[in-house]
Amino acid sequence: MPQHVQGVIAPGKNEPVRVETIVIPDPGPGEAVVKIQACGVCHTDLHYKQGAINDEFPFLLGHEAAGIVESVGEGVTDVTPGDFVILNWRAVCGTCRACTRGRPWYCFATHNAKQKMTLLDGTELSPALGIGAFAEKTLVAAGQCTKVDPAVAPEVAGLLGCGVMAGIGAAINTGDVGRGDTVAVIGCGGVGDAAVVGSRLAGAAKIIAVDIDDRKLAKAQEMGATHTVNSRSTDPVEAIRELTGGFGADVVIEAVGRPETYEQAFYARDLAGTVVLVGVPSPEMKLELPLLDVFGRGGALKSSWYGDCLPSRDFPMLIDLHQQGRIDLAAFVTETIGLGDVEKAFARMHEGDVLRSVVVL
């Protein structure tokens, strides 16, 4: 029978979030109910609250999560009750043209739970990225559950559900950073620092972190950046060129999602270099570049959705690397909080005070 749990909703555009009673239906065919243990506070949740994604309020926020499968619906075989899972927001279909061509990370028909979670009065909720994990339990498509080693702490594992995977994947999957490459990362929040970690993991020889906040630059150095540039006081394009023998970086990862920083990334790369956009722009933003420069500089301009990851492949691999001590996922956790602290966490994120606040249940 349906369950009543506590969850955090965004009731309307720019309204403060609040904790409400959420009705979770029994899982239907292909669905699972997951008991949430931890969920990171991601900037995308703030975008939902601000109405920058769409206007399908009220939203059930939270998507960067880990927990235990409680129950599954008919036909579910990949996960069973008791499995420790990371939730992902791109459950691949296996049958679209991308999947059948062996490129499931580009799946064109990713899916979510078909049933709706609601408020007590029957108001249907829109779960953030099809997950809605600022809640004691949530209903998802079973394909959104990726099993990993239960020995890892939930507050660490859950970060792979979005931001950390997006940044690491932007470097190793989309950017194809290789041994000896020079990399610049513009924007050193959680995603940018994850791109630094991914670049180091891939063997980059030089990793240049760019931000306007010296606190963030210091953290990026802790994560593996070899050089830092404060772009509030220094032209980042000139600084990156100076640090790369006048050429520019082999790969520039833009983790801000603004036209100004994208233009910096474009001109800070070497000839035939690669720009990776992993920062999320808002709908009204426009980019203008001389087409001759796009043609003449060669290389590649790429967008990185979710770090072009395949959760079933990448989540367990990164958890293994964490357990081996080769990457430190715990370094991304600034603080752990309760469900009632999400509004304060948004404020701390906006001020740049945290890398990640993580709700622990």
Side-chain angles (χ1 to χ4, degrees):
M1 60 185 298
Q3 302 182 65
H4 292 176
V5 303
Q6 297 297 291
V8 177
I9 71 160
K13 185 174 181 178
N14 283 323
E15 293 182 27
V17 302
R18 60 176 185 249
V19 178
E20 294 268 7
T21 299
I22 311 300
V23 181
I24 309 292
D26 290 335
E31 295 176 341
V33 170
V34 177
K35 178 177 173 53
I36 302 300
Q37 294 180 309
C39 183
V41 181
C42 177
H43 207 278
T44 302
D45 292 304
L46 183 57
H47 280 318
Y48 273 106
K49 176 194 168 184
Q50 294 169 333
I53 305 292
N54 58 55
D55 61 356
E56 296 171 5
F57 292 96
F59 293 110
L60 176 58
L61 298 179
H63 60 279
E64 196 177 74
I68 302 293
V69 175
E70 181 180 86
S71 58
V72 298
E74 180 184 348
V76 175
T77 58
D78 289 344
V79 292
T80 59
D83 285 341
F84 178 63
V85 298
I86 299 172
L87 299 183
N88 72 78
W89 47 267
R90 286 184 61 77
V92 301
C93 72
T95 57
C96 71
R97 61 191 185 279
C99 288
T100 56
R101 293 172 69 190
R103 303 171 185 171
W105 47 89
Y106 294 138
C107 179
F108 302 125
T110 57
H111 53 280
N112 303 313
K114 290 185 169 55
Q115 298 184 87
K116 288 289 188 178
M117 294 177 279
T118 69
L119 297 176
L120 282 174
D121 65 3
T123 300
E124 292 186 347
L125 295 167
S126 300
L129 290 174
I131 292 177
F134 286 157
E136 294 166 328
K137 297 178 184 180
T138 193
L139 176 77
V140 294
Q144 293 178 274
C145 300
T146 304
K147 290 169 58 175
V148 296
D149 189 336
V152 69
E155 59 268 28
V156 170
L159 299 181
L160 292 178
C162 189
V164 171
M165 183 70 255
I168 291 177
I172 64 176
N173 293 333
T174 316
D176 196 25
V177 174
R179 293 188 300 274
D181 280 352
T182 56
V183 179
V185 178
I186 299 178
C188 296
V191 174
D193 278 356
V196 169
V197 169
S199 299
R200 185 183 65 178
L201 186 66
K206 188 173 290 185
I207 304 169
I208 305 162
V210 180
D211 203 282
I212 60 174
D213 188 330
D214 284 333
R215 297 172 301 171
K216 291 185 177 182
L217 292 173
K219 188 65 175 179
Q221 279 192 302
E222 292 176 19
M223 295 292 199
T226 59
H227 300 77
T228 63
V229 175
N230 188 317
S231 55
R232 189 185 296 278
S233 57
T234 304
D235 182 331
V237 176
E238 291 303 317
I240 291 168
R241 289 190 172 282
E242 184 176 340
L243 288 166
T244 54
F247 300 112
D250 297 305
V251 181
V252 184
I253 299 170
E254 201 276 57
V256 180
R258 294 193 59 83
E260 311 94 286
T261 44
Y262 188 91
E263 184 174 348
Q264 291 169 353
F266 178 82
Y267 287 109
R269 67 187 175 124
D270 196 357
L271 291 174
T274 299
V275 173
V276 176
L277 174 64
V278 68
V280 181
S282 54
E284 75 281 0
M285 291 179 178
K286 305 290 183 184
L287 177 69
E288 184 174 329
L289 288 170
L291 191 57
L292 184 61
D293 284 357
V294 175
F295 172 77
R297 297 181 65 81
L301 308 178
K302 296 183 175 184
S303 297
S304 184
W305 260 66
Y306 211 174
D308 288 336
C309 79
L310 183 60
S312 60
R313 174 196 66 195
D314 293 340
F315 288 5
M317 177 265 291
L318 291 173
I319 290 295
D320 285 346
L321 291 174
H322 170 69
Q323 292 174 315
Q324 294 167 21
R326 296 174 63 186
I327 57 175
D328 182 9
L329 297 178
F332 288 90
V333 180
T334 306
E335 62 176 358
T336 56
I337 61 174
L339 281 176
D341 300 319
V342 170
E343 186 69 31
K344 293 178 182 177
F346 283 145
R348 294 198 68 193
M349 175 197 301
H350 182 72
E351 295 299 322
D353 294 336
V354 295
L355 204 52
R356 265 302 184 269
S357 301
V358 180
V359 174
V360 175
L361 296 103

